[in-house]
Amino acid sequence: MGPSVAYHLLSQGLCESVALFEQDPVHLHSSTGLSAGGIRHLFSSSVNIALAAYSVRFYERFSELMGTGDGLGPDVGFRRNGYLFLLDAANEASLLQRADFQESEGVALERLDRDRLKDRFPELETGDLVGGIFGVRDGFLDPYQVMRGFSQKAQALGAQFIGERAEAIEVEAGRAVAVRSAGWRVQARLAVVDAAGAWAGEVGRMAGVDVPVVPHSRQVYQIVPPSQAFDRYPLTIDPSGFYFRPETGGRVLVGKSFANDAQAFVWDWNRNLFIDAIWPDLASRVPEMENARLESGWAGLYEVTPDDNAIIGPHPDLDHFFVIAGFSGHGMMQGPAAGLALAERIGHGAYRTIDASGLELRRFAEGREYREDAIV
Ligand SMILES: Cc1cc2nc3c(=O)[nH]c(=O)nc-3n(C[C@H](O)[C@H](O)[C@H](O)COP(=O)(O)OP(=O)(O)OC[C@H]3O[C@@H](n4cnc5c(N)ncnc54)[C@H](O)[C@@H]3O)c2cc1C
């Protein structure tokens, strides 16, 4: 989010200079590099659909947009295999209702009945299913290349990267005025932006304000399936909660959010969780996965807010302090649009391209939280 805001501020001439503090310059723990990279329009609110739609268009041209003097920017490998929410008797009514809404918002989707689902994806066990909702323009990409592209381009436009932890935010007369690290003090004439992902609450506390974002540790598993049948598969979400999608090299990535995942800054990979709590469901849905090989995996942090929606915009309790954090597991598909929205809000004082005002932090105090149903 930080490099996306920097890119949009500088490329649109909304700001003369930007400094980006990064405590972890190799991005060992940043959520972006540890993401599954799923990109979908299939949300249950207008603003999330609008953010995804802009971001998808941006990703289609990412390499060109991120080009620097050295040539094109990184290839994010955006594969439009689609997104597939599987429907069973329990979730059918709500997902079909959500599909009606999504279509009314212009989202391209297909409703597959059980026969069409089985025709298209014969490896799936469909006996207990009634069908699926297929997001036609959706897919997945390489999150690390997204981060690299935005970072390189922002620097080419003049952003200064400071590979140090921001340790203090100076506040004067109710206004954020500077950021300090061990070796730097950067005066902020226009804005201080909290784009600290799962650490956003900590950075908020440096400025003396509350930013309600908490870390939730999530597991990802890379498996080697017994056949290459899955390479053409969409990112598929099972009613039991797990998802899987093809990865390069014939691999498949699998993940699932659990209510008792650690809410802490931990990145321990839990191999047994896959064996005990995911593999049985995966093998029931895709019988040949019984013979897959668990190769590796990792853990990363979701950055979760009270209503599972991002916080974008000014902090209500501190002038010149802006937040872009708490994407609650869907930041890859919103990063380009969110960066644009915040840059416009900072530079113009108003949202021009996408109205993200519903995602401002004040919604919590004003009782305008809204639940996003389509959380994975
Ligand atoms: C396992 C997993 C799967 C996911 N799958 C998807 C998916 O399929 N699709 C999707 O859209 N999203 C997905 N997400 C979510 C997505 O990755 C995140 O929403 C997004 O990457 C958040 O970006 P960010 O810039 O806010 O956070 P980050 O990438 O974490 O960046 C925040 C940065 O701030 C730095 N920082 C923090 N505090 C300080 C400080 N005091 N000083 C200096 N630097 C600091 C951190 O080091 C970090 O690099 C997934 C996330 C995980 C963990």
Side-chain angles (χ1 to χ4, degrees), residues 1 22-23 30-32 35-36 38 166 220 300 303 329-333:
M1 296 302 159
E22 176 51 69
Q23 64 184 7
S30 314
S31 298
T32 302
S35 169
V220 181
E303 350 77 74
H330 43 269
M332 289 314 304
M333 41 198 135

Side-chain angles (χ1 to χ4, degrees), residues 108-127:
L109 60 83
E110 288 176 45
R111 294 155 197 264
L112 306 177
D113 62 20
R114 185 164 54 189
D115 291 344
R116 283 177 67 206
L117 184 66
K118 189 72 182 169
D119 279 353
R120 289 262 281 272
F121 305 108
E123 293 78 14
L124 296 182
E125 170 54 57
T126 53

Side-chain angles (χ1 to χ4, degrees), residues 1-2 21-24 27 29-39 83 147 164-167 195-199 202-203 206 216 218-220 235 243 298-303 324-334:
M1 296 302 159
F21 288 86
E22 176 51 69
Q23 64 184 7
D24 174 15
H27 298 294
H29 290 139
S30 314
S31 298
T32 302
L34 300 171
S35 169
I39 305 293
Y83 244 76
M147 185 164 59
E164 293 184 5
R165 177 172 182 268
E167 288 177 344
W199 297 262
E202 195 177 288
V203 168
M206 292 177 196
H216 286 207
R218 299 288 194 232
Q219 304 284 321
V220 181
L235 194 152
Y243 66 85
W298 64 86
L301 300 178
Y302 271 24
E303 350 77 74
I324 177 165
F327 285 77
S328 306
H330 43 269
M332 289 314 304
M333 41 198 135
Q334 302 193 331

Side-chain angles (χ1 to χ4, degrees), residues 78-84 121 134-136 138-140 230-235 246:
F78 189 12
R79 293 176 62 190
R80 307 293 281 265
N81 286 25
Y83 244 76
L84 178 63
F121 305 108
F134 182 76
V136 176
D138 302 342
F140 37 86
F230 303 98
D231 198 48
R232 61 184 188 80
Y233 261 63
L235 194 152

Side-chain angles (χ1 to χ4, degrees), residues 4 93 155 178 203 256 264 318:
S4 173
Q155 285 181 85
V203 168
K256 180 174 178 177
L318 183 59

